[in-house]
Amino acid sequence: MIALRLAEIAAAVGGELRLPDTGATAQDRVDGPVTTDSRELVAGGVFVAKRGEFDDGHRFVPAAVDAGAALLIVEEGQPVDVPQIVVDDSVDALGRLATEVVARVRALGRLRIVGVTGSNGKTTTKNLLRTVLERVGETVAARKSFNNEVGAPITMLELTESTEFLVAEMGASGVGEIARLIRMARPDVGIVLKVGLAHAGEFGGIEQTVRAKSEMVTELLDTDVAVLNADDPRVAPMAELTRARVVRFGLGDAADVRASGIRVHARGTEFTVTVPGGESATVAFGVLGEHHIMNALAAIAAARELGVPLADIVSALESVTLAEHGRMEVLGGRDDITVINDAYNASPDSMSAALKTLAQVKRDGARTFAVLGEMSELGEFSGDEHDRIGLLAVRLGISQLVVVGSGARRLHISAINEGSWDGESAFVETQDEAFELVTAQARPGDTILVKSSNSAGLRHLGDRLGEWFS
């Protein structure tokens, strides 16, 4: 975090500064990192005691003090000899502090901000943009999927006075949440990737999901740029909702940044990208899965708007071989057996895309395994969407479907009803059972996909299979 006086922080968050009887003053400066996790605190850092659904951060104040916290932001005063600011709502205070820091760095005239949202692909696109932009200047981007009312401001607070680019991943589980994040750090470039059924249960329906994601573009100014998915029928109309200049990406003729000549293989994807003005380049993209091309196109469009030459963008993208641990991560190798661990998260769109990729990379004469778990947070759509994935697996000719856990059982039943009645679909309750089944049946040359929502925990099964076949 940029250096701020204790009095300045208290004013920014609207809290009461309480100083210990140790000689500390309101003019003392703090510039350490900000965290809500006492285990991550470093000496000189700021600890924000957040109340959660299952725990209370105030319980960990002693641990934060022992770790060398220079400041506490709390909702009730603590009996410790460390400066503390008492606020009504610590999460709100965290957002207020992020807003202040972003504004101060903005005022220096160097910082450019990219906001990324969508039902799928946020983390991958953010990582691709970070790889491109950090070659140009100091870049801050979210760790993991820090994209909510806590994670996003913590990322913003990593800014320094020399930061040139902030890539802010902006997620939401309800209307108004993206708008709130944008008020903390209004993007110069706002990206909307896709609007699908991911988290539709939390939003209360697809219409509410569209409304929430469109906040990315309705909040932009006429001097900003909206980067929109031209191929998504829910995203493309957002061009009518924004004052910003619109740049479209996709595979169709309506796209300004367009991919063609796509070739998918077991170790990545190749395509030709064409940008406004007719310039084109071939991209040897090491991230597996045709669906990740859309994320790459979004990153290309945004980076060009920030002044990065196409050749430099392509060079950076070609250096990326993994979007994120557990996202189309290629493992294995023994006996030419490939394990694709894509169980970081799952939605109907990403599940479909992963299955299609599995079918595309199948080796001649070999088999494909799809080890699938539950897609969570789908609400009323859950049953129908698990049915649809079961049907798709059969229609794509997946050799062996392994469904793990009761939450995904309907997927297995739908596959059987579609025609997988001779053991092509198996249901197991536990990851151990799935591991034993796959390791017993896999043969040289086979390809194994592991896919589920993060809550189902199959990412650990994917790692375990990858290590077994390494």
Side-chain angles (χ1 to χ4, degrees):
M1 184 179 75
I2 62 173
L4 294 173
R5 294 182 177 89
L6 291 174
E8 292 175 319
I9 297 174
V13 303
E16 176 193 351
L17 176 61
R18 298 183 184 179
L19 297 171
D21 189 20
T22 58
T25 74
Q27 300 308 306
D28 289 348
R29 291 177 178 268
V30 175
D31 62 359
V34 180
T35 183
T36 60
D37 189 338
S38 62
R39 296 167 298 181
E40 296 182 353
L41 189 79
V42 300
V46 179
F47 177 65
V48 180
K50 177 179 73 70
R51 299 187 194 277
E53 183 179 356
F54 302 108
D55 213 335
D56 185 348
H58 293 81
R59 290 202 312 115
F60 303 100
V61 165
V65 172
D66 290 344
L71 173 65
L72 307 174
I73 296 178
V74 295
E75 294 180 7
E76 54 188 52
Q78 302 294 305
V80 294
D81 289 332
V82 173
Q84 52 193 290
I85 298 173
V86 182
V87 298
D88 292 333
D89 185 323
S90 59
V91 173
D92 179 68
L94 181 65
R96 288 171 177 257
L97 182 56
T99 303
E100 178 71 12
V101 167
V102 172
R104 288 183 178 233
V105 178
R106 274 274 206 193
L108 300 175
R110 181 184 295 114
L111 180 65
R112 306 289 299 281
I113 299 174
V114 182
V116 184
T117 196
S119 299
N120 307 105
K122 294 186 295 296
T123 300
T124 298
T125 303
K126 174 260 300 180
N127 289 342
L128 295 177
L129 267 172
R130 175 175 54 200
T131 300
V132 173
L133 296 176
E134 65 188 3
R135 294 189 176 192
V136 178
E138 182 180 314
T139 301
V140 169
R143 289 173 284 127
K144 301 179 181 178
S145 293
F146 277 23
N147 61 30
N148 63 9
E149 61 181 359
V150 175
I154 284 178
T155 297
M156 297 169 195
L157 288 167
E158 294 179 8
L159 294 175
T160 71
E161 293 179 346
S162 57
T163 302
E164 294 187 39
F165 302 105
L166 168 64
V167 185
E169 187 178 335
M170 296 181 174
S173 58
V175 172
E177 294 182 13
I178 291 174
R180 178 183 180 186
L181 298 178
I182 286 175
R183 286 192 289 271
M184 296 179 198
R186 184 187 53 76
D188 300 284
V189 179
I191 301 172
V192 185
L193 296 164
K194 187 176 184 64
V195 175
L197 291 176
H199 314 296
E202 289 186 324
F203 280 102
I206 191 64
E207 295 81 9
Q208 292 294 89
T209 307
V210 173
R211 181 181 170 192
K213 300 301 183 184
S214 67
E215 290 168 6
M216 175 62 75
V217 300
T218 58
E219 297 289 325
L220 296 179
L221 305 179
D222 56 8
T223 53
D224 300 328
V225 179
V227 176
L228 302 179
N229 184 341
D231 297 349
D232 189 309
R234 298 187 181 105
V235 175
M238 292 182 189
E240 304 300 320
L241 304 177
T242 185
R243 294 168 289 176
R245 180 166 55 85
V246 175
V247 175
R248 298 170 176 83
F249 66 92
L251 308 182
D253 293 338
D256 303 300
V257 177
R258 185 175 68 258
S260 60
I262 297 170
R263 298 171 295 283
V264 180
H265 48 80
R267 294 290 167 177
T269 311
E270 295 179 10
F271 63 95
T272 298
V273 60
T274 303
V275 299
E279 185 180 6
S280 65
T282 298
V283 184
F285 193 39
V287 178
L288 180 63
E290 184 174 341
H291 53 295
H292 283 306
I293 291 176
M294 297 298 285
N295 302 326
L297 292 177
I300 292 169
R304 286 190 78 254
E305 292 301 321
L306 295 171
V308 185
L310 181 60
D312 294 342
I313 298 170
V314 171
S315 175
L317 292 180
E318 290 187 334
S319 73
V320 179
T321 58
L322 177 64
E324 183 91 3
H325 175 52
R327 295 180 188 268
M328 298 302 285
E329 183 176 7
V330 179
L331 304 169
R334 174 166 56 88
D335 296 330
D336 213 21
I337 294 173
T338 300
V339 176
I340 304 171
N341 187 2
D342 195 31
Y344 187 94
N345 223 330
S347 68
D349 289 329
S350 67
M351 187 77 86
S352 298
L355 286 172
K356 290 173 183 175
T357 298
L358 177 64
Q360 287 176 318
V361 301
K362 176 181 179 293
R363 296 181 176 91
D364 290 341
R367 298 175 304 160
T368 51
F369 287 71
V371 184
L372 307 182
E374 182 182 9
M375 300 178 290
S376 62
E377 300 176 357
L378 295 179
E380 63 180 294
F381 305 102
S382 180
D384 289 344
E385 292 303 318
H386 282 88
D387 286 346
R388 189 173 65 84
I389 294 301
L391 302 180
L392 180 64
V394 175
R395 292 169 185 175
L396 288 173
I398 303 303
S399 308
Q400 178 66 59
L401 181 62
V402 181
V403 180
V404 186
S406 57
R409 189 183 185 102
R410 187 160 166 174
L411 194 160
H412 165 66
I413 294 171
S414 295
I416 293 174
N417 291 339
E418 180 68 7
S420 288
W421 56 77
D422 192 25
E424 295 105 337
S425 182
F427 173 78
V428 296
E429 287 283 0
T430 70
Q431 294 188 33
D432 286 343
E433 291 175 275
F435 179 82
E436 295 298 331
L437 189 156
V438 173
T439 54
Q441 294 190 14
R443 298 196 296 258
D446 288 350
T447 303
I448 303 162
L449 168 71
V450 182
K451 179 74 172 172
S452 74
S453 284
N454 194 36
S455 60
L458 294 199
R459 181 158 52 99
H460 307 294
L461 174 61
D463 289 340
R464 186 180 176 190
L465 288 169
E467 183 177 354
W468 179 267
F469 289 115
S470 64

